[in-house]
Amino acid sequence: MGGVNDAIIEIRGLVKTFGTTRALDGLDLTVTPGEVHGFLGPNGAGKSTTIRVLLGMLRKDAGDVRLLGGDPWADAARLHRRLAYVPGDVNLWPNLTGGQVIDLLGRLRGGLDEDRRRELIERFELDPTKKGRSYSKGNRQKVALVAALATDVELLVLDEPTSGLDPIMESVFQEYVERFRADGGSVLLSSHILAEVERLCDRVSIIRAGRCVESGTLAELRHLTRTSVVAELARPVTGLAELPGVHGVDVEGSRVSFEVDTPRLDAAIGLLHGVGIRSLTATPPTLEELFLRHYGDDIATEEEAEVS
Amino acid sequence: MTGATIFLRAFLRRDRWHYLWWAVGATLLYYSQAVSVKGLYTTQAQFDKAARSMEGNTAFIAMAGPARALNTIGGQVVWQATAFGAIVAGLMSMFLVGRHTRAEEESGRDELLRASAVSRHASLTATLVDALLANLVLGVLVAASLVAFPLDATDSIAVGAGLTLCGWFFTGTALVAAQLTSSTRSMYGVAGSVIAVAYGLRAIGDVGNPVLSWLSPIGWYQGMHAFSGLRWWPALLLLSFATAATGTAYVLFGRRDFGSGLWAARPGPARAEPALSSAFGFAWRLQRGSVLGWTGGVALMGLAYGSIGNDVGTLIGDSKTSRDVFVQGAGGLVDGFYAVAIATVALIAAGFTVSSALRPKGEEDDGRVEALLATGLSRRRWLLAQVATTVVGTVVVLAGGGLGLGLGYAMVTGDGGRIAPFLLGSLGYVAPALVLAGLARLLYGVVPRWAVLAWVGVGLGVVMVFFGPVLHLPGWVQGLSPYHHLALVPAEPFRWTPFLVLLAIAAGFSLTGLAAFARRDVH
């Protein structure tokens, strides 16, 4: 299992240009069966472009793209029966009701599970008799979510699916995604809501300027960054700042706080242990810190520019 | 009224092209009547004869208004232009009001603006002033064009002033409609119905019970009797009711919540009917309303032409120009006239065909295609279903026009024998209409943003049918229009060759467009 040929989504070196802009510049992405894969990146990084190539809306300029074992461009309609897509900005037909759109999209995908349709409409508190033009942003999103989650598919492609949903509806959504994974489904989830990604995703890919800059499980990604440590010690510690991988040491009497590269955590705690630990909190990096680390460069360079 | 002037300036800027086109359209409507009447009859005796024939034609009176002083140019202008002019002013007002009130609320843009430091009524007031000004421009230009013609100045000014006041009346009713309904579409439905009822009341009133005409703002406009004993007091009726309607709109505006109407939106079905789930069923559902609307409109136009019956000769006179335009082809005057009438109705119907062919572009621009094409529906099937809807719709609309002509003729003359030839003649124009649809499809597939150029084809068709023979354009120029090649039924016998060749060209365009669409990026 886990071999390249078994992957649900397999992208190697994908390039897509619009005129002179290079929206995707050698992007790699792999989604394996049964995983929820978080797809992170700032606005304009190329997330939606990648998804549109995967759905056969856009034609790739270079690279290899495999979706469910097929070619997303040539076999589009056939492959689409096995997946459901929720865009981040759902546009409905002004004179069709939400219920009609759910049925339409569901049937075009090959059929709806009637019980689940009923259940989802109830859980999402959606009024299916309203016309498309009178739905709010969040309710338009619910229409697409119900249509997607009520179909029996192998893959969910979700492009910022919860934009406009309130926190209660967001947790309903998360519950159904977890259920979908428990039933063996795979998910590609593009999102800005990092708490959502942390809760749902097994693996994460972070993209920037059309390239994948980091990919792995959350644990692996955390390993690459620093853990913050705050400790109350028996007596003042010396030599902590000289340890490799330790940064930002701040000693106030017997209280010490610092950051340490996660692989070096053991040595640092060992030193503290020698001095005598009264209390200790070690905080792993949040996804937000991971994210900011990858996109913080812009801010850092801007600051430098201001200083000089 | 904090902010109203800022809004107004923004509105005027956004509307400057609307102002221009509506004003040009309305002025042409009035001015062209004066010009054409003058060119039509060579002697006053002919004019008198035609006038008598018009006065006796009930269908004409129902369509245009009470017959007064029809043997004068001024009387003809009032008769032929005022009812339609009022409709033009009404539609302009309705669209201006809708665009700045309901449509803005629906899109949420208005919320952004209202949250800034402006008074609650600022956008409503700016909309009102915008529409009042637009109607004023309309009236002034119409009056000025008639004075310049030259017609009697006072009466010309009355014609323009009445038009402005009619527009103000419909501005008021449109503002009320915007408060009652909760969507732009239903607002246009209500405001449009007011215009239709106003026209209908005076139509029935003018041929039957005159009291009904006095219930209609268009009746009040025509009741001013410009060029036939002008009186001003009916204008006061228009002014006072316009004021009352506007006041009502302001009161209602204060009683409703932002984004909602006083009438609650009606819920629709919670489930989709099975037919909606096929590609064609879905495409048809999206265009159904438009097909029915166009069919109704074109059929009414056909009825109007048809109800001229055999009076053609006296009506169009025997000037060379009218003969050149109407007697294209070998047949007699009546057949020649109806051949041109069928072509006219068919050119109007082409408006449906082109707008229907551009529908896929609208769907793509509005971001509704992606979700559909991410299902088991393939691009080809999606677009083919749209093509099929355009083809079926075009046949239905043209059949409506042909039947309207035939039935109108049958009603006036009692001769049903022309229903079938008119219908077949009209259906012949399916071929050139589909060439334009094919062109739209081709452009949509290759360079989507150029697809609207297909409208140029309709314009070309209009110019060639009406001005081609008068301007004596070289054959190859006239041949650029797909409408030029068909036989002018019933003046000429139907010819299969051009019909089939045009269909083949349409199919070629359409298939190329389809192939190109299947290969390009969808946004």
Side-chain angles (χ1 to χ4, degrees):
Chain A
M1 285 301 283
V4 169
N5 294 331
D6 298 337
I8 295 286
I9 294 172
E10 181 73 38
I11 300 179
R12 288 282 162 267
L14 176 60
V15 175
K16 175 71 195 172
T17 52
F18 297 109
T20 53
T21 28
R22 219 169 156 81
L24 297 178
D25 188 16
L27 181 115
D28 299 324
L29 178 71
T30 307
V31 177
T32 55
E35 79 169 355
V36 178
H37 194 105
F39 197 34
L40 303 181
N43 295 328
K47 300 190 299 292
S48 295
T49 306
T50 309
I51 286 173
R52 289 198 178 123
V53 172
L54 274 175
L55 293 173
M57 303 291 159
L58 303 181
R59 185 191 259 286
K60 68 183 181 196
D61 292 327
D64 294 317
V65 183
R66 306 289 290 169
L67 170 76
L68 297 165
D71 176 345
W73 178 266
D75 311 328
R78 191 172 58 80
L79 296 174
H80 290 166
R81 289 178 191 278
R82 297 163 59 193
L83 63 83
Y85 165 61
V86 178
D89 205 350
V90 178
N91 294 299
L92 299 177
W93 294 270
N95 49 349
L96 294 185
T97 64
Q100 287 178 310
V101 173
I102 291 170
D103 286 345
L104 171 73
L105 293 177
R107 288 177 199 161
L108 286 172
R109 280 188 194 115
L112 286 157
D113 181 325
E114 284 296 323
D115 291 336
R116 218 179 322 147
R117 182 192 188 275
R118 208 172 307 123
E119 183 189 315
L120 282 159
I121 286 181
E122 203 173 294
R123 290 294 307 279
F124 277 114
E125 294 169 19
L126 178 73
D127 178 357
T129 63
K130 276 174 94 175
K131 296 276 173 74
R133 69 171 85 84
S134 48
Y135 281 120
S136 67
K137 160 109 181 82
N139 280 315
R140 290 203 301 271
Q141 213 63 34
K142 288 180 192 172
V143 169
L145 280 171
V146 171
L149 293 168
T151 350
D152 283 314
V153 290
E154 296 161 48
L155 171 67
L156 287 178
V157 178
L158 309 173
D159 190 358
E160 297 180 25
T162 55
S163 50
L165 288 196
D166 64 47
I168 299 166
M169 292 307 146
E170 229 176 277
S171 81
V172 172
F173 160 75
Q174 289 170 4
E175 184 190 321
Y176 277 94
V177 170
E178 277 164 353
R179 228 198 265 185
F180 178 74
R181 173 179 43 193
D183 294 341
S186 316
V187 181
L188 177 64
L189 171 65
S190 149
S191 179
H192 274 313
I193 302 166
L194 299 171
E196 181 175 284
V197 173
E198 264 186 310
R199 173 170 163 190
L200 292 174
C201 295
D202 305 295
R203 292 202 312 135
V204 169
S205 289
I206 299 180
I207 73 162
R208 176 177 178 176
R211 288 169 163 276
C212 181
V213 290
E214 207 74 78
S215 189
T217 63
L218 280 175
E220 284 165 0
L221 293 188
R222 286 198 171 116
H223 205 67
L224 296 172
T225 52
R226 299 167 185 172
T227 302
S228 7
V229 179
V230 180
E232 196 69 44
L233 302 172
R235 50 201 160 82
V237 65
T238 50
L240 185 63
E242 285 73 47
L243 277 183
V246 173
H247 312 269
V249 179
D250 182 22
V251 184
E252 267 178 59
S254 60
R255 189 178 171 280
V256 65
S257 65
F258 62 93
E259 286 186 346
V260 56
D261 291 348
T262 308
R264 308 276 191 181
L265 187 61
D266 191 42
I269 302 296
L271 186 74
L272 301 187
H273 182 64
V275 179
I277 301 173
R278 293 280 157 79
S279 79
L280 179 117
T281 49
T283 324
T286 62
L287 189 56
E288 193 170 336
E289 281 164 326
L290 282 178
F291 195 76
L292 287 176
R293 201 188 127 213
H294 282 289
Y295 299 111
D297 302 11
D298 297 332
I299 303 164
T301 36
E302 271 167 36
E303 278 171 358
E304 274 166 31
E306 269 168 39
V307 169
S308 63
Chain B
M1 262 315 154
T2 323
T5 42
I6 302 172
F7 276 119
L8 182 60
R9 232 175 283 143
F11 288 173
L12 290 175
R13 200 179 153 68
R14 272 185 68 192
D15 291 339
R16 59 194 193 280
W17 292 109
H18 288 240
Y19 269 62
L20 181 68
W21 294 125
W22 285 104
V24 166
T27 311
L28 276 181
L29 175 68
Y30 283 80
Y31 191 71
S32 68
Q33 298 300 343
V35 174
S36 69
V37 168
K38 194 174 180 185
L40 226 43
Y41 309 103
T42 39
T43 63
Q44 185 60 39
Q46 265 179 25
F47 201 175
D48 291 343
K49 192 173 157 224
R52 273 194 302 280
S53 146
M54 291 176 207
E55 277 162 19
N57 189 318
T58 315
F60 269 20
I61 290 170
M63 220 163 66
R68 296 178 62 86
L70 295 188
N71 57 351
T72 64
I73 294 177
Q76 284 284 344
V77 170
V78 167
W79 193 52
Q80 300 200 20
T82 47
F84 302 112
I87 291 176
V88 168
L91 289 177
M92 178 187 75
S93 308
M94 171 179 110
F95 286 123
L96 281 179
V97 168
R99 169 180 152 81
H100 294 306
T101 57
R102 266 293 147 210
E104 288 292 281
E105 276 188 44
E106 206 167 275
S107 72
R109 281 190 294 266
D110 198 34
E111 199 171 357
L112 198 67
L113 295 175
R114 276 205 218 177
S116 58
V118 297
S119 81
R120 250 166 65 76
H121 292 89
S123 68
L124 186 66
T125 305
T127 305
L128 172 68
V129 176
D130 182 38
L132 295 184
L133 281 176
N135 282 299
L136 191 63
V137 170
L138 223 60
V140 167
L141 285 182
V142 165
S145 76
L146 295 183
V147 172
F149 180 73
L151 289 173
D152 179 80
T154 317
D155 289 273
S156 298
I157 291 167
V159 169
L163 179 66
T164 297
L165 288 170
C166 271
W168 288 1
F169 179 93
F170 290 122
T171 300
T173 54
L175 282 169
V176 171
Q179 313 311 316
L180 295 177
T181 56
S182 55
S183 76
T184 316
R185 219 180 145 95
S186 43
M187 183 234 144
Y188 287 157
V190 173
S193 304
V194 172
I195 302 173
V197 167
Y199 181 79
L201 278 175
R202 64 127 287 279
I204 305 168
D206 289 347
V207 291
N209 185 351
V211 174
L212 291 178
S213 299
W214 286 105
L215 294 176
S216 160
I218 304 177
W220 301 338
Y221 179 22
Q222 295 182 329
M224 289 169 70
H225 293 173
F227 297 108
S228 57
L230 176 66
R231 53 189 188 182
W232 284 96
W233 62 263
L236 288 176
L237 279 173
L238 282 169
L239 188 63
S240 47
F241 276 85
T243 314
T246 307
T248 310
Y250 268 79
V251 172
L252 296 179
F253 179 81
R255 294 208 182 150
R256 70 176 181 93
D257 291 332
F258 175 80
S260 65
L262 288 170
W263 293 342
R266 263 182 311 148
R271 301 302 307 251
E273 55 275 32
L276 193 56
S277 308
S278 75
F280 177 74
F282 178 66
W284 174 257
R285 174 70 178 70
L286 290 186
Q287 300 204 22
R288 192 178 62 187
S290 148
V291 172
L292 293 179
W294 278 92
T295 307
V298 167
L300 278 179
M301 198 186 157
L303 270 177
Y305 270 119
S307 60
I308 293 171
N310 289 321
D311 288 347
V312 178
T314 39
L315 280 183
I316 64 176
D318 55 1
S319 75
K320 180 158 168 13
T321 311
S322 58
R323 296 240 160 221
D324 276 350
V325 173
F326 289 114
V327 194
Q328 302 179 27
L333 189 60
V334 173
D335 281 342
F337 174 80
Y338 280 108
V340 175
I342 290 173
T344 309
V345 170
L347 276 164
I348 304 271
F352 162 79
T353 307
V354 171
S355 69
S356 167
L358 290 172
R359 194 70 179 246
K361 182 175 151 45
E363 289 284 292
E364 190 180 347
D365 291 348
D366 291 346
R368 288 192 287 257
V369 174
E370 212 183 30
L372 270 187
L373 294 186
T375 67
L377 183 63
S378 73
R379 291 173 178 220
R380 274 169 208 279
R381 281 213 325 147
W382 173 72
L383 194 53
L384 267 177
Q386 303 280 342
V387 175
T389 306
T390 303
V391 174
V392 172
T394 301
V395 171
V396 170
V397 172
L398 280 169
L403 277 178
L405 269 161
L407 290 174
Y409 184 87
M411 277 184 340
V412 172
T413 60
D415 170 14
R418 281 184 189 254
I419 295 177
F422 285 1
L423 178 62
L424 291 177
S426 181
L427 286 176
Y429 287 97
V430 164
L434 290 184
V435 170
L436 298 182
L439 180 65
R441 186 102 44 225
L442 178 68
L443 293 168
Y444 173 65
V446 183
V447 203
R449 64 178 186 282
W450 290 357
V452 286
L453 288 180
W455 283 111
V456 174
V458 180
L460 200 65
V462 171
V463 171
M464 292 311 157
V465 166
F466 296 107
F467 303 108
V470 185
L471 299 172
H472 301 293
L473 291 171
W476 66 268
V477 175
Q478 298 195 32
L480 285 177
S481 163
Y483 283 81
H484 178 69
H485 305 276
L486 285 183
L488 284 163
V489 180
E492 299 169 343
F494 184 76
R495 288 192 299 268
W496 277 100
T497 318
F499 179 77
L500 293 176
V501 169
L502 286 171
L503 277 187
I505 293 173
F509 277 173
S510 203
L511 287 174
T512 314
L514 198 65
F517 175 70
R519 296 177 54 80
R520 74 166 168 83
D521 287 349
V522 172
H523 292 285

